[in-house]
Amino acid sequence: MSSELDLDGLSPVDRHFARLLERLAGSNDRLAELAAHASHWIRVGHSCLDLALLARQLQREEELAAWRETLQRSPVVGKPGDWRPLILEGDRLYLYRYWDYERRVGEALLARAQARVLVDAKRLTAGLEALFGPSQPPQVNWQKVAAATAALRQLCVISGGPGTGKTYTLVRVLALLALLQPQRPPVIGLAAPTGKAAARMQEAIRAAKASLAVDESVRAVIPEQASTIPRLLGVQARSIHFRHDRDNPLPLDVLVVDEVSMVDLALMAKLLDALPAGAKLVLVGDGDQLESVEAGSVLADICSGARGCSPAFARQLGELSGEPVPAAAEATAPLADCVVRLRQSRRFRSEGGIGRLAALINAGDADAALALLREGDDPALGWRAHGWGDPQAFAAAVRQGYGDYLRAVAGGAPAQEVLARFNAFRVLCSHRSGPTGVEAVNQRIEEVLARAGLIRRGRLWYPGRPVMVTQNDYSLRLYNGDIGIALPDADGQLRVCFETEDGLRRFHPARLPPHESVYAMTVHKTQGSEFERVLLLLPSEPSRVVDRRLLYTAVTRGRSRVELWGREAVLREAIASASTRGSGLAERLWRPQAVPSLAELA
């Protein structure tokens, strides 16, 4: 294979895929190398290869026209609607499966966005008043608007940062839907991408539901059990397909999915396939967070074009909710009437350090963000420009951060208490490998804790060892990202304790699926989590991985304190970088087009 294109960083899997297509299409080095890049882009999270972006990255813009011509002539490359290994749509080159996933997601969401919903207007207005109280113009109660939108639309997307009241809103959305159907209460399902996210979802729902001032009959409609999406769909052994699909839909009237930023394109396509045509879908998450680990940027794409609802829908919301909802200044797509962004954070006020820093990062204002960090007078923020290079400072931070939970282990505290204390602090990294990657940092943390006498090393497993599952095991119902801690049972035998949607579960270490120590974890793996204090270690040089979304996600994981250890140049470039994943979903969702009905998709 020639080197007309730069193949640095491409794996044997990418090259094998390229050779396969070369055999199918006849010898063509340019096609083979473009196919290798398409495979690579999928593996690093994109749903397609952006040819124009690749040309800029490789400084080969003059070859873009030749790439297009090669692909258009190849027998293994089709146009949208063809059944070929690769699909070329504009300057986006897809593996067929991912083009099909993207098409299905786009069509299903738009069909739901345009579906008509009949609502008893008087009952809706009374329900909103009872659940959210009277309006207080000129301020807009966006939580109330979100509930009204969920009642009036078959699709509702509620996006908001940490502490903006997503769970508070969601419980009232479900209560409102129950109030609107007193004769036949809706069957509601709760789901999240991971076991950890599902456990947090159901814990938050139970707490918010208990304080809800409604009749017991309404409260009874709101479920307290959340499930992972794979478990909801019905995992089948040795198959990429689920038990519930278009031919065997889920028995639900309403489905709520939390932490949607973590849901990849393939899983979203299968979830939408399995949802009955008449069911409501409520998607909840933070559109500014990092995208899913696997390919796709579904929530970010859904929220990308949201600039306010249509004038007609703004009037309807105003009439029914009493809220002075502003309309978009320009023409809007159908999806615009389905997306509501919650704005006010109650976890950390916007004038507080963490809230201010998160807002400045989101706005791309590096000068103001760095000035805030330099002030050094906010107890919620800390910054060490060269802290990682100071072994004593790092050791002190580790002992302070993890000493409390390890002393609880030594004192025989209950597993739930140990897990709670462990979640009070976390070291975060941007990379897996390298001097500041999780592999090296975890090893260094264990050395620090062992020297301090807080853990007993010398063997792989010891009391207090925290581990994270790195591969789904559907038979054990342990999923990628689940965190457990090794603790002795009543007989003194070590068992790894996980807090899941089914409660506390214990496993012999030998039974665990692939896993790793997790004193430090990548920012990607923290989605759906929050910690009292966070220490973020940045690489010594700027990196494509360290961008605005990663910083925002890391900073908003902390409730009371966030420390950033890294050079000013790295922070500045990260805040300025607004990189996005290669995807055509946003264009499918927001461009004017004819949309199939739900009946046509069924």
Side-chain angles (χ1 to χ4, degrees):
M1 189 178 293
S2 72
S3 58
E4 186 175 339
L5 294 182
D6 184 357
L7 295 180
D8 287 348
L10 301 190
S11 73
V13 171
D14 304 325
R15 295 169 185 266
H16 179 76
F17 177 70
R19 286 194 292 270
L20 171 63
L21 292 197
E22 191 174 32
R23 288 197 300 271
L24 292 174
S27 180
N28 187 321
D29 289 343
R30 182 178 288 146
L31 168 70
E33 292 163 352
L34 286 170
H37 279 280
S39 172
H40 171 73
W41 277 47
I42 291 290
R43 289 191 306 99
V44 296
H46 304 273
S47 57
C48 61
L49 168 63
D50 185 325
L51 295 174
L53 179 57
L54 178 66
R56 290 195 298 272
Q57 287 179 350
L58 300 179
Q59 299 181 344
R60 307 294 289 269
E61 291 94 334
E62 71 280 1
E63 296 189 17
L64 183 56
W67 295 357
R68 294 190 190 111
E69 182 180 1
T70 295
L71 294 168
Q72 288 164 354
R73 290 184 173 185
S74 172
V76 298
V77 181
K79 60 183 182 300
D82 291 341
W83 193 49
R84 303 282 177 84
L86 296 173
I87 299 293
L88 181 64
E89 186 170 13
D91 274 346
R92 294 190 294 270
L93 182 64
Y94 293 86
L95 275 64
Y96 175 84
R97 178 184 294 178
Y98 287 88
W99 174 84
D100 189 51
Y101 286 149
E102 194 176 276
R103 174 192 63 81
R104 284 154 53 190
V105 169
E107 290 182 353
L109 290 176
L110 285 173
R112 290 184 184 281
Q114 296 196 137
R116 292 182 176 274
V117 177
L118 299 177
V119 175
D120 184 322
K122 290 184 179 179
R123 196 183 292 273
L124 174 57
T125 298
L128 289 169
E129 181 90 3
L131 292 166
F132 293 94
S135 301
Q136 297 179 339
Q139 291 187 335
V140 179
N141 183 339
W142 289 105
Q143 296 174 332
K144 191 176 183 181
V145 171
T149 301
L152 294 166
R153 286 287 182 265
Q154 202 163 11
L155 170 67
C156 178
V157 182
I158 303 173
S159 176
T164 51
K166 294 190 291 291
T167 302
Y168 173 93
T169 306
L170 179 56
V171 168
R172 282 155 181 78
V173 165
L174 299 180
L176 179 63
L177 296 180
L179 287 169
L180 291 173
Q181 294 181 231
Q183 304 304 319
R184 184 192 172 278
V187 178
I188 300 169
L190 305 177
T194 66
K196 176 176 60 179
R200 287 190 64 243
M201 181 187 192
Q202 67 187 26
E203 179 183 349
I205 292 271
R206 286 171 183 168
K209 175 181 168 180
S211 62
L212 201 58
V214 294
D215 291 341
E216 187 58 38
S217 60
V218 174
R219 193 180 285 111
V221 175
I222 303 173
E224 296 186 354
Q225 185 70 31
S227 169
T228 64
I229 297 174
R231 187 176 179 185
L232 175 75
L233 293 176
V235 174
Q236 300 188 100
R238 296 180 293 279
S239 174
I240 63 170
H241 302 290
F242 294 102
R243 187 171 66 254
H244 288 289
D245 56 18
R246 190 167 297 175
D247 297 324
N248 181 29
L250 292 161
L252 297 174
D253 300 311
V254 179
L255 174 62
V256 179
V257 184
D258 197 11
E259 297 292 351
V260 179
S261 62
M262 301 169 66
V263 181
D264 61 80
L265 182 66
L267 189 57
M268 181 59 76
K270 294 170 184 178
L271 182 64
L272 291 170
D273 282 348
L275 195 61
K280 281 185 180 289
L281 176 62
V282 181
L283 302 177
V284 184
D286 185 349
D288 294 320
Q289 275 192 190
L290 279 169
E291 301 92 343
S292 58
V293 175
E294 303 297 332
S297 50
V298 176
L299 184 60
D301 289 339
I302 291 173
C303 296
S304 63
R307 303 290 184 272
C309 61
S310 66
F313 193 54
R315 285 194 299 273
Q316 185 182 21
L317 286 170
E319 292 168 0
L320 295 172
S321 71
E323 296 298 323
V325 180
E330 54 191 31
T332 56
L335 198 64
D337 291 345
C338 303
V339 181
V340 181
R341 184 169 69 87
L342 306 182
R343 292 160 167 78
Q344 184 177 359
S345 175
R346 291 167 174 79
R347 181 192 299 176
F348 30 75
R349 296 187 179 277
S350 59
E351 66 270 17
I354 296 176
R356 289 170 62 196
L357 181 60
L360 292 170
I361 290 170
N362 251 349
D365 194 338
D367 289 337
L370 287 164
L372 176 62
L373 290 171
R374 284 194 198 97
E375 289 173 5
D377 57 359
D378 192 313
L381 296 176
W383 178 35
R384 283 180 176 267
H386 304 288
W388 175 242
D390 184 344
Q392 291 183 339
F394 180 72
V398 167
R399 289 193 300 268
Q400 180 184 14
Y402 290 126
D404 185 51
Y405 106 85
L406 288 169
R407 283 187 287 271
V409 172
Q416 288 93 338
E417 180 182 337
V418 171
L419 285 161
R421 292 193 184 196
F422 177 66
N423 283 329
F425 174 75
R426 192 72 84 249
V427 176
L428 308 184
C429 305
S430 56
H431 294 72
R432 284 197 53 78
S433 304
T436 55
V438 292
E439 296 167 353
V441 172
N442 272 312
Q443 182 176 352
R444 188 164 172 180
I445 289 174
E446 284 192 312
E447 291 170 355
V448 168
L449 296 176
R451 285 199 300 270
L454 291 168
I455 63 173
R456 300 197 304 268
R457 294 193 72 192
R459 60 179 62 187
L460 179 62
W461 288 100
Y462 53 83
R465 183 192 177 198
V467 295
M468 180 171 62
V469 174
T470 58
Q471 183 176 308
N472 294 337
D473 188 320
Y474 295 112
S475 63
L476 294 178
R477 301 197 310 279
L478 288 176
Y479 304 102
N480 188 354
D482 287 351
I483 291 177
I485 295 180
L487 296 170
D489 62 13
D491 298 324
Q493 300 299 309
L494 282 184
R495 296 292 183 266
V496 186
C497 302
F498 292 84
E499 202 157 17
T500 71
E501 71 269 31
D502 296 323
L504 190 69
R505 301 174 65 210
R506 294 174 169 85
F507 297 88
H508 190 284
R511 293 189 65 203
L512 294 185
H515 55 274
E516 61 190 16
S517 293
V518 70
Y519 293 104
M521 58 196 298
T522 61
V523 177
H524 254 112
K525 294 288 190 180
T526 66
Q527 293 182 86
S529 300
E530 58 184 40
F531 313 100
E532 200 63 37
R533 291 168 291 128
V534 160
L535 169 58
L536 173 64
L537 302 177
L538 295 171
S540 58
E541 299 296 331
S543 163
R544 286 184 184 176
V545 172
V546 185
D547 62 7
R548 190 180 303 168
R549 284 186 184 273
L550 182 138
L551 280 184
Y552 170 83
T553 303
V555 166
T556 55
R557 296 312 89 196
R559 284 192 294 262
S560 62
R561 181 167 173 83
V562 174
E563 288 192 40
L564 292 88
W565 288 16
R567 295 172 52 237
E568 177 176 329
V570 176
L571 277 168
R572 185 175 293 278
E573 183 158 325
I575 294 170
S577 173
S579 59
T580 57
R581 287 187 170 181
S583 168
L585 182 60
E587 182 179 331
R588 294 177 195 277
L589 293 173
W590 291 100
R591 71 187 176 198
Q593 58 187 311
V595 180
S597 68
L598 286 171
E600 291 173 315
L601 293 176

